[in-house]
C-alpha cells in the first residue's frame, strides 16, 4: 500500500470555492472530469478568479461509495476563489466554502495510485485512532497537475475532515 510522504494538520477558515457537481459512478466521473475541469477553468478565467500561485484546484467526494449507490455518488471539481469577489451562480457553477480542521496526507502518486492513497488515509490513519472524523466533505488538492499517464507522478494532498 502506498504511504504519504508526510501527514500534517491544517485549519481552513471559510475558504470560498466555485464548483461543478457530477452525479454518477467514479468511473463515469473520471471519463467526464476533463470536460468538467475545462468548464470550471473557463468560468474562472472569464471572471478573473485565477490568482497564480494562490488558486488551488481540488476534487470533492460528497458520498461514501460503500453506502451510496454508484449512480447517485456526488463528486465535484472545485477551485478556491478570492474572498472579495461576488459570484453569481450560473448554469452548473455553484459557490460554497470550505472550513474546519483537516488531516492532510501529502502523496506523490501515479494515476493508478489514488485509490490506494485514499485507502491509506481511511484505514491506516483515520480509523486507527490517529484523529476523530468530522462530518464534512473530504477532498483531493492538486499540488501539481495530475499525471496524464501511468508512468508520471504528481503531488496530491488528501484532506480528511477531523475534529
Amino acid at each position: 500500500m502506498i504511504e504519504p510522504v508526510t501527514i500534517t494538520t491544517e485549519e481552513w477558515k471559510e475558504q470560498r470555492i466555485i464548483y461543478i457537481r457530477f452525479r454518477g459512478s467514479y468511473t463515469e466521473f473520471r471519463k467526464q472530469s476533463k470536460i468538467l475541469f475545462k468548464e470550471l477553468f473557463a468560468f474562472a478565467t472569464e471572471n478573473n478568479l485565477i490568482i497564480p500561485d494562490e488558486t488551488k484546484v481540488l476534487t470533492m467526494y460528497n458520498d461514501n461509495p460503500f453506502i451510496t449507490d454508484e449512480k447517485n455518488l456526488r463528486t465535484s471539481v472545485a477551485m478556491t476563489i478570492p474572498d472579495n469577489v461576488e459570484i453569481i451562480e450560473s448554469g452548473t457553477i455553484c459557490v460554497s466554502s470550505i472550513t474546519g480542521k483537516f488531516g492532510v496526507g501529502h502523496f506523490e502518486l501515479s494515476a493508478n495510485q489514488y485509490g490506494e492513497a485514499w485507502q491509506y488515509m481511511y484505514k491506516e490513519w483515520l480509523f486507527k485512532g490517529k484523529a476523530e472524523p468530522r462530518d464534512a466533505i473530504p477532498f483531493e488538492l492538486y499540488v501539481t497537475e495530475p499525471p496524464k499517464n501511468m508512468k508520471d507522478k504528481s503531488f496530491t494532498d488528501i484532506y480528511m475532515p477531523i475534529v
Side-chain angles (χ1 to χ4, degrees), residues 101-119:
K101 187 175 178 182
F102 296 88
V104 185
H106 305 276
F107 291 88
E108 184 176 12
L109 302 171
S110 61
N112 61 350
Q113 293 178 312
Y114 282 79
E116 283 182 58
W118 278 96
Q119 283 184 16

Side-chain angles (χ1 to χ4, degrees), residues 42-50 85-87:
F43 180 88
T45 301
E46 181 179 308
N47 289 279
N48 299 313
L49 300 174
I50 298 173
V85 295
E86 187 173 328
I87 301 292

